[in-house]
Amino acid sequence: MTQTLENAVNLPEEQRFFRHGLSWEQFKAIQASFENVPGVRLFYCEGILEIVSIGKPHEAIKCLIGLLLRQYFVEQGIEFFPVGVLARLLPR
């Protein structure tokens, strides 16, 4: 099945949750509890914790950008080392 950006608009959006008034130590404890949870990102700034579930539109766009960059690097003869999920999908 081919995923297009037009179809990605109809997919579930990211969810964001905020918690105010946390110390850095509290954030680190919460972060440790989310260590093995895929598809969730935590951000902390000035006492505010933001928990973001990564949605399908984000993933679709991320993969598309990665594929386009890979093709550009190959055509330009630029040496690169992909990392992350995309690296496991690309032939070496």
Side-chain angles (χ1 to χ4, degrees), residues 38-83:
V40 176
R41 303 291 182 263
L42 277 68
F43 303 96
Y44 178 84
C45 183
E46 298 179 357
I48 301 171
L49 167 65
E50 179 180 8
I51 302 173
V52 180
S53 67
I54 303 301
K56 289 183 180 180
H58 169 89
E59 291 297 323
I61 292 169
K62 177 186 83 169
C63 288
L64 177 61
I65 291 171
L67 291 170
L68 290 171
L69 284 171
R70 178 188 183 275
Q71 188 62 34
Y72 174 78
F73 292 148
V74 168
E75 290 181 11
Q76 297 298 315
I78 298 171
E79 187 175 333
F80 69 102
F81 182 77
V83 296

Side-chain angles (χ1 to χ4, degrees), residues 21-33 42 44 47 49:
L22 293 176
S23 69
W24 177 252
E25 292 76 19
Q26 289 171 315
F27 164 70
K28 294 305 283 182
I30 293 169
Q31 184 182 43
S33 68
L42 277 68
Y44 178 84
L49 167 65

